[in-house]
Amino acid sequence: MKTIDIIKGIHPGKIVERELKKRNINQRQFALSLGEHPQTLGAIIKGNRRMNVDLSLKMEEKLELEEGFLMTLQVFYDIKEAKKDSDYKPDFSKLRKGIFWDTDFDKIDWKLMKVSIVKRVFAYGNKTEQEEITRFYGKEEVSKINLLHPELLTR
């Protein structure tokens, strides 16, 4: 597994904190060496502030991390946080309510019922609906569910 797959969804500040501890670098001194306020670095490390491109480039250079690593982590973290939002739903214009004939469509919990939804859409949905559910949950999640239920792949 790639490192990014293992730490996907972790705030980049946690990785910076770990790197600083591992290298025995003082947070305040590190922030000042980057030309940043120590409070800014502290807020990022605590996860109270988003990483920005300029700061990530400075940190990656000083810590000898791959360019773009911290911003990639920020994006995956933002995606994880967006999925926690109760308003996060698939694009309903691409789904027929008829697929969920035995359920009140407006009361579906799209997070809690993920496995059932994927099974239903791959059993009865068309290509557009399957693509939307794959986009919504992610290829990796849909693949896991399909691997648990290989009969869905033949329909």
Side-chain angles (χ1 to χ4, degrees):
M1 252 185 136
K2 291 181 180 178
T3 303
I4 195 76
D5 291 330
I6 296 167
I7 59 176
K8 195 186 282 187
I10 295 175
H11 192 280
K14 293 296 173 197
I15 302 304
V16 171
E17 180 180 39
R18 191 189 91 202
E19 288 295 320
L20 293 177
K21 282 181 182 175
K22 188 167 80 173
R23 299 163 194 233
N24 201 24
I25 300 172
N26 176 284
Q27 279 185 30
R28 178 176 171 72
Q29 291 171 342
F30 183 67
L32 294 173
S33 76
L34 297 171
E36 294 292 332
H37 295 285
Q39 297 87 341
T40 301
L41 180 61
I44 289 171
I45 286 175
K46 289 178 184 173
N48 296 332
R49 186 172 176 160
R50 293 184 81 253
M51 179 67 65
N52 65 59
V53 175
D54 292 335
L55 186 54
S56 72
L57 289 171
K58 289 180 197 176
M59 286 185 190
E60 290 159 352
E61 185 178 339
K62 284 266 190 196
L63 296 173
E64 299 174 346
L65 299 172
E66 186 177 341
E67 188 176 276
F69 178 72
L70 295 174
M71 282 309 298
T72 301
L73 283 180
Q74 183 66 58
V75 169
F76 282 121
Y77 179 79
D78 293 346
I79 290 168
K80 182 183 105 181
E81 291 300 303
K83 286 184 175 181
K84 286 181 182 178
D85 184 357
S86 62
D87 292 333
Y88 185 70
K89 295 175 175 45
D91 181 352
F92 292 152
S93 71
K94 295 181 180 178
L95 298 174
R96 292 172 292 146
K97 289 184 178 185
I99 296 175
F100 304 96
W101 67 87
D102 58 348
T103 307
D104 183 347
F105 188 83
D106 297 323
K107 293 185 180 177
I108 293 175
D109 184 327
W110 296 93
K111 292 177 197 149
L112 184 65
M113 305 302 296
K114 174 172 43 179
V115 172
S116 299
I117 291 166
V118 170
K119 286 171 60 177
R120 178 71 62 98
V121 170
F122 276 79
Y124 302 105
N126 60 36
K127 185 176 170 123
T128 301
E129 292 161 331
Q130 291 172 1
E131 287 171 353
E132 175 55 19
I133 289 301
T134 301
R135 181 206 63 79
F136 178 67
Y137 290 119
K139 285 182 181 181
E140 189 176 310
E141 282 298 306
V142 171
S143 293
K144 281 184 204 173
I145 294 166
N146 281 339
L147 289 174
L148 295 173
H149 306 282
E151 69 279 5
L152 299 177
L153 297 173
T154 59
R155 292 185 183 220

